[in-house]
Every structure is written in structure tokens, then in C-alpha cells.
Amino acid sequence: MIVIEHTGFLDGDYSTRILQMAGQVKQADGASPLNEAAQLAITSDWSRARHLLALDDEDRALVGYAQFDPRDASAQFFISPEHRGKGLGTQLLNQLIVRYSPATCWSFGTLEPARKLAERFGFEQTRQLLLMGRELNEVPDFQAPEGFTIDTYKNTDINRLVKVNAEAFKDHPEQLSLIHI
């Protein structure tokens, strides 16, 4: 039997187990099941995130994980690859909705079972994010325009960096309010 436990703080053992399972999910699915903010919330003591642990009642083995972020009412969750197809995703998503009523559930990848689960609970795709990159084997020669200097980052740059980032992404839905602590 699977039990779901709710907590606001994860001890180091659970943090490690969750991140290990997230790695297994990434390997199986080709995409990480958690974004960077969710990963940081797993290991931090400052996060306000709520955690749901799907545990095997007999041996307390972790078989699934969900996280609710109250800052933007969003959720992320995953089931270990070997425990899929048994209704655990339905159970976790139901618990998320009953307890926290997330407005958004993130999905990193386009897995058909995840899409069908989301649709059953009334979620619909509102947009698609693309991560694009390229190899940097050869860096083209570049000269800064007159009046500009290209330099490496220094800790004294943080306030200007946060200000420029906030302005550049002020209309981005996930930006929230980036601040320097």
C-alpha cells in the first residue's frame, strides 16, 4: 500500500532520495521532472514549498514525489519509472488539488500518460517551453561596440544584474519578483 505524507521540511535523507529519483526519471523520460527552483526547494531550509512523499507503507521506499509552491500556486510531481501505471500519479495529483488547489502543474517533456492525466483533472496546455542550445567548440571573434566593455562577472555586479534581469523579464509569467538577498 502507498501512503502520501505532507511536509514543509525535508530531512537530508529524503532530499537525497528525491533528487536521486528525479535523476532516474530524467534518464527514463529524457527530461528533468523538476525545474531549478523546485530542486533548490528540496535542499533548502528557506523555501515555503510543500512536499508530498509517496511512500511504500511496508518499507518506506520513496515511489513518488510532489511539490507545491505557494508563491505562484504551481505544482510539479513525478512517479519513479518502475512504479508507473498503478494510479500513483492520479493519487498524487488528487492530493495536490484537494490540499493546495494548484493553478498550474508543470510538465517538462511531452509524455502521453502525463498529458492524459492532466486532462482528466481539467488542466490544459497553455504554452510550450523550448530549451535550445548549441555546442561552443568555436567561439567567434567578437569586438565590443565602442563605449562598451566585456568583462567577467564580479560579486559587486549582483544588484545591477538583478535590476537588468527584472526589467528584461518583467512580463514573463514565472518571473515573480527576483530579489537579491
Side-chain angles (χ1 to χ4, degrees):
M1 180 175 185
I2 302 301
V3 295
I4 297 179
E5 294 185 2
H6 301 255
T7 184
F9 178 76
L10 297 168
D11 67 28
D13 180 53
Y14 276 122
S15 296
T16 300
R17 290 164 59 187
I18 292 164
L19 292 174
Q20 286 173 342
M21 190 183 349
Q24 294 166 354
V25 169
K26 180 179 180 180
Q27 187 172 14
D29 297 346
S32 177
L34 302 171
N35 64 19
E36 182 182 25
Q39 292 175 41
L40 290 171
I42 290 169
T43 58
S44 77
D45 57 0
W46 52 262
S47 173
R48 293 181 293 179
R50 305 301 300 169
H51 309 276
L52 287 74
L53 308 173
L55 303 166
D56 185 303
D57 196 29
E58 290 181 23
D59 61 5
R60 307 286 296 163
L62 183 69
V63 297
Y65 170 75
Q67 183 182 119
F68 175 75
D69 187 341
R71 297 175 306 163
D72 63 355
S74 69
Q76 300 174 48
F77 67 99
F78 59 89
I79 305 299
S80 69
E82 61 271 12
H83 290 90
R84 292 178 180 172
K86 301 175 184 175
L88 298 178
T90 298
Q91 196 176 347
L92 263 180
L93 185 52
N94 188 58
Q95 287 287 314
L96 278 165
I97 290 170
V98 167
R99 189 93 174 224
Y100 304 109
S101 190
T104 305
C105 279
W106 285 96
S107 178
F108 305 98
T110 52
L111 303 173
E112 190 63 19
R115 188 189 60 72
K116 286 181 178 180
L117 175 64
E119 286 177 356
R120 276 201 329 265
F121 279 86
F123 289 93
E124 55 187 49
Q125 180 176 326
T126 55
R127 65 188 172 106
Q128 184 174 358
L129 301 176
L130 300 175
L131 177 61
M132 301 170 75
R134 68 182 187 100
E135 292 294 323
L136 291 178
N137 297 330
E138 294 182 32
V139 179
D141 187 30
F142 177 80
Q143 297 295 318
E146 190 171 324
F148 291 88
T149 303
I150 298 175
D151 199 355
T152 57
Y153 174 81
K154 299 177 207 61
N155 287 338
T156 56
D157 295 331
I158 188 66
N159 289 328
R160 290 183 303 167
L161 176 69
V162 169
K163 183 178 179 182
V164 166
N165 186 77
E167 179 62 26
F169 295 102
K170 68 183 176 191
D171 296 322
H172 194 273
E174 286 82 46
Q175 182 64 19
L176 298 175
S177 58
L178 182 62
I179 59 170
H180 174 240
I181 299 173

